Structure formats: structure tokens, C-alpha cells
Amino acid sequence: DYSHTTMLTMPNTRSYNLSAGIAGKALTSRLSYRAYVGVNFMRDQVLWFINEVGTFGVAAADNNRFIFGAEVEYRPFGGFSVDAMFAAHADNSTGNYSVSDARVRGAVNVKYSLKRWKFYLSGNLTGRRSWSAIEASEVAYKAFTAPAVFDLGAGVSFRASNSIEVYVDGYNLL
């Protein structure tokens, strides 16, 4: 057990992954899809917590994670495409600390290319994350929970030549 250790003495996280799924195309190859399930066996996973002085501490525990997700991309015409993904997981950790990874993630991207121009919008969702805290020498499992966040991005680019592309983009717009 590496609870209440330091980064200098903590072992590296060892991760062993297995997954299976289906992938394919439909609508004369305009629609691509992929769906999967998997497991991730993590040994000595790094877990962050808030210590008694209000800074972050570090601990490690074994964690078995069940993962599932899906991705889809649609190209209805020419240079227009829409893609989306969703991924989620459930943890089974041996530690007393909350696993601070977001359990749900998602994304949607819209792109349009017209000769030398490219226009794009992106939306990324990150689910809630929780951290444990040390309160009066006891571990409070979910002492702090950050809300889910949505990141909106937009951009445009122009290919001036085969070797130069000029772009303007912005993220965290919402």
C-alpha cells in the first residue's frame, strides 16, 4: 500500500488492457462506426487527494476498470464531415481514495473543407471528477467534486501553399 507516499518513491502505474468491438462502414462508405468494450487492469495507479494543508498529495492503489464506448463519422457530401464519440468507464479500486478520472467523455466535431479553406467546430464533454481529502487524519472519499465541463472550439484555416497553412482557432469559447 502506497497511501501517503511521495512522487519520488511511488512506483510507475502498470496498465494491462484488453478490448473487443465491432467496426464497419455503411451508406456506401459515407458512415463509419466503431463500438467497443474492454477492461484495464492498473497496478499502482496514481491517485491524487487534497491533504490537510490544502495542497495535493499522491497515493497509489490497484484498479480494475471496465470500459465501453462508440465512435461514428459521417461524410454526407464533398468536404463536409461530422464525427462523434462517447466513452465511459466504471472503476473497482482497492484504495481508500477516489479515482479522479472523469467517468464519461464525449466529443462532436464538424468540419467543412472547400478548396484551400477549412472550417471546423468542436465540442468536448468531460464528466464530473471527484477527489478525496484528508480531514482530521481520516480519508473523506468524495470531498470535492468538479462539475462536468463542455469545451467549445472553432477555427478556420487557409492553405497558402503545399508547405504553408495559416489558421486561427479558439477553444474554451463556452
Side-chain angles (χ1 to χ4, degrees):
D1 179 26
Y2 291 97
S3 57
H4 292 94
T5 189
T6 67
M7 288 298 290
L8 297 176
T9 60
M10 179 169 284
N12 289 331
T13 299
R14 298 178 317 278
S15 182
Y16 309 99
N17 305 296
L18 298 169
S19 64
I22 60 170
K25 295 184 179 203
L27 301 176
T28 63
S29 296
R30 292 188 183 278
L31 178 71
S32 301
Y33 58 88
R34 179 176 176 257
Y36 59 90
V37 295
V39 291
N40 184 340
F41 303 101
M42 291 175 276
R43 300 300 165 250
D44 301 320
Q45 180 185 12
V46 174
L47 303 172
W48 297 94
F49 63 89
I50 303 167
N51 64 25
E52 292 173 322
V53 289
T55 60
F56 280 101
V58 65
D62 294 343
N63 185 14
N64 299 321
R65 178 174 286 178
F66 174 71
I67 303 165
F68 59 96
E71 301 170 6
V72 65
E73 181 179 15
Y74 181 56
R75 296 179 179 272
F77 59 87
F80 184 74
S81 69
V82 177
D83 64 79
M85 65 79 62
F86 172 82
H89 70 264
D91 290 309
N92 181 17
S93 179
T94 61
N96 295 331
Y97 300 93
S98 179
V99 178
S100 58
D101 294 341
R103 293 182 185 194
V104 175
R105 293 185 187 276
V108 175
N109 299 297
V110 177
K111 299 174 196 154
Y112 183 67
S113 298
L114 180 65
K115 295 186 182 182
R116 294 178 167 212
W117 290 92
K118 199 182 317 178
F119 305 90
Y120 45 94
L121 284 172
S122 67
N124 293 295
L125 172 71
T126 302
R128 294 181 308 175
R129 298 168 310 235
S130 297
W131 288 270
S132 298
I134 305 297
E135 297 173 352
S137 299
E138 296 290 326
V139 176
Y141 185 72
K142 284 191 176 183
F144 174 75
T145 299
V149 294
F150 182 78
D151 176 17
L152 177 67
V156 61
S157 69
F158 176 75
R159 180 162 301 282
S161 69
N162 286 338
S163 59
I164 296 175
E165 184 173 345
V166 179
Y167 68 91
V168 175
D169 58 18
Y171 296 92
N172 294 321
L173 300 176
L174 183 63

